[in-house]
Amino acid sequence: MANRDGHRRFGNIRKRESGRYQIRYPGPDGRMHSGPTTYATRTEADRALTLIEAQMISGEWTDPDRGKVLLGDYARTWIKERPGLRPKTIELYTWLLDRHIVPGLGGVAVGKLTTQMIRSWRAKLIDNGVSVSTAAKAYRLLRAVLMTAVEEDKLLSRNPCRIKGADNEQTPERPILTVAQVFELADKMADRRFRALILLTTFASLRWGEVIALRRSDIDLKARTVRVREQLIELDGGDMVLAPPKSRASKRTVSIPSAIVPALTEHLAEFVDQADDAFVFLGKRSGYLRGGNFRREAKWAEALKEMGVKELHFHDLRHTGNTLAAQSGASLADLKARMGHDSDRAALIYQHATRDADQRIADALSARVEADRKAASGKKESSAEG
């Protein structure tokens, strides 16, 4: 705005030899900044300064010079400096960045990114055959990176990732086993060491990395509980790394159904060393249990084929356990606590979930198992008599 003597209170305008007008103004950092472009008339230049002054007053102004950093460079620094990222997460983020984000947007200055650019980038990913799930993961990473650019580094006035539904993976519904099928699968494992693995993973709703990291001291058969305090992660290079659980909520103690205690008792006696820190589930050569080794030694695919079950992943055992627990009448809060749901909200719910409620879930699961097995046994006896 100009004062009565014709001079502006904020910034200044000068006419260049080309006849266009250039603006300069003091930033919150104490430095003078030039406008990103020139203007055809003094009135347009004056309006631009008025808008910049309003942005500074509202706290929405961003330094156009700092916004010139390329997205690819900024995102790599973001991954490097992000606190608390686990090795597997760093691998995933780096892969998503190099494979799906940098080719389309990496050379664009952060301050120049627009919602239209990001919408076009996502559409090209889908058109080139990238799955909706992978595109959603890449979009969520990009949104997180740019949120830091907005809130912490002030490179943008607002996050351009504003595409509704772009963060939804739309994954297909996974298969769920019946109680009888869980026990059948456990019995069909080619190596008996894996029978307890199948039962514990399912009925305690454990993740693969959690169950293979269990030590003898984590299982209390008298209290009927299993404690999750770490996970084993297999990196892309093949290294196995012990790490904290996936989230704060994932560090938990879960009640187990009494119906699977005999299988666990047998497993601990036959396959596990007596030391408290001995791993409960190991490969044949006493090394860390890897996914590929397990599927091969257990003859996972062959067992599923015999059962007539298609496309069942190991993680679907946890999904089955979660479903059975929900069917037991557990509240949403208690169910999320048992699952170790990986969100801040679920972690908070877990902290307030009661031990008694979790025990009721285990008791209901045990009753369900006993009922199903008793019914199956009755059918066999009737068939034999006939």
Side-chain angles (χ1 to χ4, degrees):
M1 181 179 292
N3 292 323
R4 292 181 180 178
D5 59 3
H7 294 286
R8 289 187 55 85
R9 182 185 70 247
F10 174 79
N12 57 69
I13 302 172
R14 73 183 183 96
K15 189 174 184 179
R16 298 175 60 92
E17 293 181 359
S18 62
R20 295 181 66 82
Y21 293 86
Q22 182 183 43
I23 62 174
R24 285 176 57 80
Y25 57 90
D29 54 8
R31 297 188 299 113
M32 290 297 293
H33 296 267
S34 297
T37 186
T38 57
Y39 303 90
T41 67
R42 177 176 290 273
T43 298
E44 290 178 359
D46 186 78
R47 289 173 180 169
L49 280 173
T50 300
L51 176 60
I52 292 172
E53 183 180 22
Q55 290 174 335
M56 288 188 181
I57 293 173
S58 65
E60 296 179 354
W61 179 81
T62 59
D63 185 343
D65 292 329
R66 294 185 64 196
K68 292 178 181 178
V69 61
L70 300 183
L71 173 64
D73 296 333
Y74 182 79
R76 287 191 178 89
T77 301
W78 184 93
I79 294 173
K80 181 179 179 180
E81 297 178 348
R82 198 67 177 171
L85 291 183
R86 292 175 172 78
K88 200 67 175 178
T89 303
I90 293 174
E91 281 192 346
L92 173 62
Y93 284 176
T94 302
W95 179 80
L96 289 171
L97 178 65
D98 292 340
R99 184 70 177 269
H100 298 301
I101 297 177
V102 167
L105 296 172
V108 180
V110 173
K112 296 292 186 181
L113 287 168
T114 65
T115 300
Q116 176 56 44
M117 286 183 185
I118 294 171
R119 185 183 297 111
S120 177
W121 159 76
R122 179 182 177 275
K124 288 179 181 178
L125 287 184
I126 302 297
D127 290 343
N128 289 334
V130 176
S131 69
V132 173
S133 177
T134 299
K137 287 182 174 66
Y139 177 82
R140 290 199 299 270
L141 172 59
L142 178 61
R143 182 175 60 188
V145 169
L146 295 183
M147 187 58 69
T148 300
V150 172
E151 296 184 350
E152 298 180 19
D153 295 334
K154 307 299 182 184
L155 306 184
L156 290 162
S157 60
R158 72 172 188 171
N159 196 331
C161 288
R162 308 173 69 85
I163 305 170
K164 292 184 178 180
D167 57 346
N168 295 331
E169 295 194 31
Q170 300 176 357
T171 53
E173 183 64 29
R174 298 303 308 161
I176 300 171
L177 298 179
T178 64
V179 169
Q181 285 177 318
V182 173
F183 278 89
E184 182 182 0
L185 178 61
D187 290 335
K188 284 186 178 297
M189 292 293 95
D191 192 322
R192 192 166 178 78
R193 290 176 302 121
F194 301 135
R195 184 172 187 273
L197 175 70
I198 299 297
L199 298 178
L200 184 60
T201 298
T202 304
F203 295 113
S205 294
L206 300 181
R207 300 176 176 91
W208 167 258
E210 295 172 347
V211 73
I212 64 172
L214 291 176
R215 316 292 185 100
R216 175 180 278 274
S217 61
D218 293 324
I219 297 180
D220 188 334
L221 295 180
K222 290 183 179 179
R224 293 191 290 114
T225 61
V226 57
R227 176 181 57 177
V228 177
R229 55 193 174 93
E230 56 189 349
Q231 64 173 331
L232 262 173
I233 301 173
E234 184 172 357
L235 302 180
D236 288 344
D239 292 336
M240 298 290 286
V241 179
L242 275 170
K246 192 173 182 181
S247 68
R248 287 176 296 169
S250 298
K251 191 173 183 179
R252 64 201 188 279
T253 297
V254 181
S255 296
I256 55 180
S258 59
I260 69 169
V261 168
L264 293 175
T265 302
E266 177 185 334
H267 179 85
L268 291 172
E270 187 173 352
F271 300 110
V272 184
D273 291 342
Q274 293 300 314
D276 286 346
D277 64 348
F279 284 92
V280 177
F281 301 106
L282 292 171
K284 278 187 175 180
R285 299 180 181 177
S286 298
Y288 290 139
L289 185 59
R290 299 170 181 271
N293 291 344
F294 160 73
R295 289 188 293 273
R296 181 173 57 256
E297 294 171 12
K299 295 188 177 179
W300 174 266
E302 291 87 339
L304 295 179
K305 185 176 181 180
E306 288 182 16
M307 293 173 60
V309 176
K310 297 181 179 180
E311 300 182 354
L312 184 82
H313 300 161
F314 188 89
H315 188 75
D316 295 327
L317 298 179
R318 169 175 157 84
H319 181 49
T320 294
N322 292 340
T323 302
L324 294 173
Q327 292 173 350
S328 73
S331 69
L332 180 61
D334 296 331
L335 184 60
K336 285 186 175 181
R338 184 177 182 84
M339 293 165 52
H341 198 277
D342 58 351
S343 70
D344 290 341
R345 181 183 179 188
L348 181 62
I349 293 172
Y350 167 67
Q351 292 171 0
H352 291 86
T354 65
R355 177 72 177 77
D356 290 340
D358 193 45
Q359 189 66 57
R360 288 196 298 273
I361 295 174
D363 290 341
L365 282 173
S366 187
R368 173 74 177 273
V369 169
E370 294 293 355
D372 278 43
R373 299 190 76 184
K374 185 176 181 181
S377 177
K379 289 181 179 179
K380 288 183 178 179
E381 291 178 2
S382 298
S383 177
E385 292 176 359

